[in-house]
């Protein structure tokens, strides 16, 4: 059986889409997620004690189904649950896979290292085979399948609830999530100061987007770390990424290469990010971004 | 409170990674080395926890003799003791790394084992969890906030724009992410002390893994055709044409 872990993170649907290359896939669904059309069979986890995320309990549900291959989204939860399964069963785990094909008993795969700035070709043997799918390498796409949903209640004991989410702090109302935003306005060292981000905020608000920053910017304290786009921050996949005063270090590029289009505003025509852009305005962002805002305002009202 | 923090020596890559001619490793001839970023924050967190609650700190790494540089960097920041699990410098798989770490810390009285969420180079996302299983300890990963009170560790993880909060009894294993703190700079006195400190050396043996590397590859550059716009007004028109306004 090929099993794919699904939770409320949208990257789960990308993982499901990826998993279909292995043939028939069973979705193992935690929480209220619609996988209609993606797979022919979904097992919805139903358990009176599983009202919150509990990694060992999720891992137990997978182990109980005795799959030969488990696919999970390359997210905090996906990696954590697969690592528990791997440790319990003494199996290998390939994280952030971008390509994979079965050849007899072997899974030939390509996975990301260095956050995606390096690729590793590898062979995965043994059973079960465990892999996570790197975020934003495939587009989530239903396959027009008729999906039967069954309830599945794993046998869980106290030991599976040793670690669980005790409570949750919801985001402030009106916050646009960086990882799922349609538009991200990002700033780098060129923004110059904490206050320099005010105009980027204004542009993001006008476009219903989120503000992000490079690692330099979060290390300098101009933005909170949760705004970081890059290898040690968020992987974004907006329709448009507007990069202002960002040079485009490799660690930043791997965080934003899921963007469909990139508009760069930068003083330096030779900055590496310009080569990645669809459009670029060469000049001072402190003049150009306010000009964009003014133009959008004047025609918008 | 005895805190042990595991770090990894990784190359400081520049704008573009270059591989050795057999494509089995990064060509590090011209590169310096550093502690992987999440783990540098784990070192800082260990120091802060012990400054607040008292106790001892130990840094451990698995790597070649040259990784003493990273152990000394952690000691220069203030870590008390260091352990080197010495290898020939080849990449160890996650199973072997976790088994060697578990063996080395099993006999130590640790209240908290800190890891980075994933090593910058291999990005395997699993060593901390495997060590926790080997030692029978509770664990949590991807953590960007830790507080400790009365034998319970409270850990915060970003989730869906908000936070999910875990409570774990100590002893426990926690892997952290950059952003949990801003690591301090080493002092001159710290550096001098680190140079003189004794480092415990252990030589573990690697295990086979069902995941075997064939070769490394640098992904092809995805250069796009850039259209240069002359003004903010032109950029605004692009935003309009994309239907964003």
């Amino acid at each position: 059986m090929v099993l794919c872990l699904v939770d409320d993170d949208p990257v789960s649907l990308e993982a499901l889409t990826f998993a279909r290359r292995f043939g028939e896939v069973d979705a193992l669904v935690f929480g209220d997620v619609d996988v209609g059309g993606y797979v022919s069979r979904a097992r919805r986890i139903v358990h009176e004690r599983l009202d919150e995320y509990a990694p060992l309990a999720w891992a137990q549900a997978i182990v109980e189904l005795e799959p030969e291959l488990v696919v999970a989204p390359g997210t905090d939860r996906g990696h954590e649950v697969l690592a528990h399964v791997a440790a319990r069963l003494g199996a290998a785990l390939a994280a952030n896979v971008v390509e994979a094909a079965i050849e007899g008993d072997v899974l030939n795969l390509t996975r990301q290292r260095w956050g995606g700035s390096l690729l590793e070709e590898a062979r995965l043997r043994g059973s079960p085979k465990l892999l996570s799918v790197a975020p934003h390498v495939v587009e989530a796409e239903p396959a027009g399948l008729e999906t039967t949903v069954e309830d599945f209640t794993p046998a869980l004991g106290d030991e599976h609830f040793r670690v669980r989410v005790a409570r949750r702090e919801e985001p402030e109302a009106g916050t646009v999530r960086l990882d799922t935003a349609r538009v991200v306005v990002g700033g780098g060292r060129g923004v110059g100061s904490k206050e320099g981000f005010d105009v980027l905020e204004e542009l993001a608000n006008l476009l219903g987007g989120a503000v992000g920053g490079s690692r330099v910017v979060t290390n300098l304290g101009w933005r909170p770390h949760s705004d970081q786009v890059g290898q040690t921050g968020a992987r974004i996949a907006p329709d448009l990424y507007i990069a202002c005063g960002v040079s485009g270090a490799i660690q930043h590029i791997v965080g934003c290469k899921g963007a469909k289009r990139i508009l760069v505003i930068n003083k330096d025509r030779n900055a590496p990010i310009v080569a990645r852009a669809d459009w670029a305005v060469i000049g001072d962002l402190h003049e150009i971004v306010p000009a964009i805002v003014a133009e959008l305002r004047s025609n918008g009202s | 409170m005895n805190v042990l923090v595991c770090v990894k020596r990784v190359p400081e890559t520049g704008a573009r990674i270059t591989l050795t001619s057999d494509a089995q490793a990064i060509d590090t001839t011209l590169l310096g080395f550093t502690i992987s970023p999440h783990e540098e924050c784990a070192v800082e967190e260990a120091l802060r926890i012990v400054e607040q609650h008292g106790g001892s700190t130990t840094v451990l790494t698995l790597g070649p003799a040259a990784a003493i540089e990273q152990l000394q960097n952690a000691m220069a920041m203030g870590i008390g003791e260091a352990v080197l699990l010495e290898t020939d410098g080849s990449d160890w798989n996650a199973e072997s790394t976790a088994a060697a770490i578990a063996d080395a810390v099993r006999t130590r009285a640790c209240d908290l084992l800190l890891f980075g969420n994933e090593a910058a180079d291999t990005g395997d996302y699993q060593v901390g969890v495997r060590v926790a299983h080997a030692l029978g300890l509770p664990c949590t990963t991807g953590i960007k906030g830790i507080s400790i009170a009365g034998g319970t560790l409270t850990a915060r993880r970003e989730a869906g724009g908000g936070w999910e909060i875990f409570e774990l009894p100590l002893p426990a294993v926690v892997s952290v992410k950059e952003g949990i703190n801003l690591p301090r700079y080493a002092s001159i006195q710290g550096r001098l002390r680190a140079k003189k400190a004794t480092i415990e050396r252990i030589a573990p043996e690697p295990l086979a893994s069902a995941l075997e590397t064939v070769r490394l590859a640098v992904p092809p550059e995805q250069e796009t055709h850039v259209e240069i716009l002359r003004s903010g007004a032109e950029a605004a028109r692009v935003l309009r044409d994309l239907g964003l306004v």
Side-chain angles (χ1 to χ4, degrees), chain B:
Chain B
M1 181 80 52
N2 298 320
V3 185
L4 183 135
V5 52
C6 295
V7 302
K8 186 171 186 184
R9 169 184 169 87
V10 297
E12 282 182 288
T13 58
R16 194 173 159 80
I17 293 175
T18 312
L19 298 178
T20 54
S21 55
D22 63 359
Q24 294 298 307
I26 292 180
D27 182 357
T28 56
T29 341
L30 299 172
L31 301 179
F33 286 82
T34 182
I35 295 175
S36 187
H38 294 314
E39 290 138 34
E40 198 179 357
C41 294
V43 169
E44 174 64 32
E45 199 62 20
L47 294 170
R48 290 186 189 192
I49 289 168
V50 167
E51 280 161 5
Q52 197 183 344
H53 299 277
S56 73
T57 51
T58 306
V59 60
L60 178 149
T61 195
L62 181 138
I68 286 174
E69 179 191 357
Q70 280 61 47
L71 294 175
Q72 286 176 334
N73 289 348
M75 292 181 104
M77 285 169 72
I79 296 285
E81 292 172 42
V83 182
L84 172 67
L85 303 181
E86 193 169 347
T87 70
D88 63 1
S90 57
D91 265 343
W92 275 37
N93 59 58
E95 292 94 315
S96 298
T97 305
I101 293 171
D103 284 346
V105 303
R106 196 167 273 125
T107 52
R108 289 167 190 268
C110 293
D111 301 293
L112 179 60
L113 296 178
L114 291 178
F115 287 83
N117 193 55
E118 85 277 3
D121 57 350
T122 46
D124 285 323
Y125 292 81
Q126 54 192 275
V127 171
V129 176
R130 287 185 188 271
V131 170
H133 276 263
L135 300 174
L137 298 178
C139 84
T140 185
T141 64
I143 296 306
K144 284 177 105 172
I146 290 178
S147 59
I148 295 170
T152 300
L153 180 144
T154 303
R156 294 164 64 82
R157 170 152 98 192
E158 280 180 325
W163 295 87
E164 49 192 20
I165 294 144
F166 299 86
E167 286 170 358
L168 286 80
L170 293 173
V173 175
V174 177
S175 81
V176 306
K177 277 189 179 177
E178 185 184 88
I180 190 172
N181 54 45
L182 271 178
R184 70 194 64 187
Y185 290 103
S187 62
I188 304 275
Q189 295 92 321
R191 284 185 199 284
L192 292 172
R193 196 183 64 84
K195 286 272 180 216
K196 291 183 208 145
T198 339
I199 288 169
E200 185 183 339
R201 292 167 91 139
I202 299 170
E205 287 296 323
L207 312 167
S209 169
L211 181 64
E212 176 204 346
T213 303
V214 178
R215 71 177 69 82
L216 303 179
V218 178
E221 290 279 347
Q222 293 172 322
E223 298 227 349
T224 48
H225 174 74
V226 193
E227 186 186 337
I228 301 292
L229 308 172
R230 278 167 309 188
S231 65
E234 276 192 20
R237 200 169 313 131
V238 165
L239 300 181
R240 251 179 237 291
D241 291 348
L242 288 170
L244 295 171
V245 200

Side-chain angles (χ1 to χ4, degrees), chain A residues 228-293:
Chain A
Q228 189 189 112
V229 172
Q231 186 177 343
T232 49
R235 309 290 152 89
I236 58 168
D239 292 337
L240 179 68
Y241 177 47
I242 306 177
C244 311
V246 175
S247 65
I250 197 165
Q251 288 82 357
H252 184 74
I253 295 293
V254 296
C256 68
K257 68 181 181 189
K260 288 203 182 72
R261 287 169 191 280
I262 298 179
L263 164 63
V264 164
I265 298 160
N266 205 302
K267 271 184 185 165
D268 180 6
R269 172 70 179 84
N270 297 315
I273 190 114
V274 177
R276 306 275 181 156
D278 296 274
W279 305 277
V281 190
I282 307 302
D284 184 353
L285 72 93
H286 298 289
E287 289 163 18
I288 293 158
V289 180
I292 298 175
V293 168

